[in-house]
Amino acid sequence: MAFLSTLFSQVINGLQSGSIYALVALGYSMVYGIIMLLNFAHGDIIMIGAYVVWFTIVNFGLHPVVSILLAIAVSTVLGVVIEKVAYAPLRSSPRLSLLITAIGISFLLENGAQLVFGAGAKVVPTFLTGPSLRMGSATISFPALVTIAVTVVIMIGLTLLVQKTKLGKAMRAVSEDMGAAQLMGINLNTTISFTFALGSALAAVASVLYLSSYS
């Protein structure tokens, strides 16, 4: 029984960690699928989302829900601004130019965050609390339940978005053939900006779930 309990706990831990990585990968792969860009700044948007949650809770005492919504909003806007300012002007440039720009944006965000928040370790207060689920001798923590449930809901929502909505179909068309999509009347700028906004929002959700799991 002890072996089965340990095995079950490790499976839940794997699902919890894998759910966070899945959200990160979804946002990253959507951007790559649309404009074939390795967006190195994606990880730094996750960092910004985490800093927003920590800063607003610790320094302003905001309710965790408000902090989470604010982190998602900031990350979403940041992703769109980066796309408009740094990537859009280079859309017709060689891939290497976009790649170097992505690395530069990543360094800018990392060093900017270090200047603003410092390089020391930060203590994140526990902000996601609730009842644990006990199954026999194994216990599933509330953050693990929330992480897995949120990831499943988001994946289902993204599937419906991509398969059923007009914007989702536009995303698929642009990823298949950008030139043909433009000829068919698809607004390229709107589609790419929406993809960056969605990917950045997923990055913020991943950062929140990570903080809740390991705070």
Side-chain angles (χ1 to χ4, degrees), residues 126-131 142-143 146 212:
T126 301
F127 60 91
L128 189 62
T129 58
F142 184 72
V146 171
S212 67

Side-chain angles (χ1 to χ4, degrees), residues 130-143:
S132 300
L133 177 63
R134 190 165 184 84
M135 300 182 67
S137 58
T139 302
I140 305 176
S141 66
F142 184 72

Side-chain angles (χ1 to χ4, degrees), residues 19-24 26 42 45-50 53 67-73 75-76 127-128 146-155 197-213:
S19 296
I20 297 172
Y21 295 144
L23 291 178
V24 175
L26 279 172
H42 190 73
I45 294 176
I46 297 173
M47 172 196 68
I48 296 298
V53 173
S67 296
I68 292 169
L69 293 176
L70 189 59
I72 294 174
S75 297
T76 302
F127 60 91
L128 189 62
V146 171
T147 299
I148 296 171
V150 167
T151 303
V152 170
V153 170
I154 288 177
M155 287 182 174
L198 189 58
S200 299
L202 291 177
V205 174
S207 68
V208 170
L209 294 178
Y210 180 85
L211 290 179
S212 67
S213 300

Side-chain angles (χ1 to χ4, degrees), residues 187-203:
N187 190 318
L188 195 62
N189 292 325
T190 300
T191 304
I192 293 176
S193 294
F194 176 77
T195 304
F196 268 87
L198 189 58
S200 299
L202 291 177

Side-chain angles (χ1 to χ4, degrees), residues 40-65:
F40 288 103
H42 190 73
D44 301 290
I45 294 176
I46 297 173
M47 172 196 68
I48 296 298
Y51 267 125
V52 170
V53 173
W54 167 79
F55 188 79
T56 53
I57 291 178
V58 171
N59 293 279
F60 296 106
L62 294 183
H63 191 278
V65 174

Side-chain angles (χ1 to χ4, degrees), residues 77-91 98 101 105 108 193 196:
V77 172
L78 180 61
V80 174
V81 170
I82 289 173
E83 190 276 325
K84 291 292 186 185
V85 174
Y87 299 150
L90 299 174
R91 198 171 291 161
L98 276 171
T101 302
I105 293 295
L108 175 65
S193 294
F196 268 87

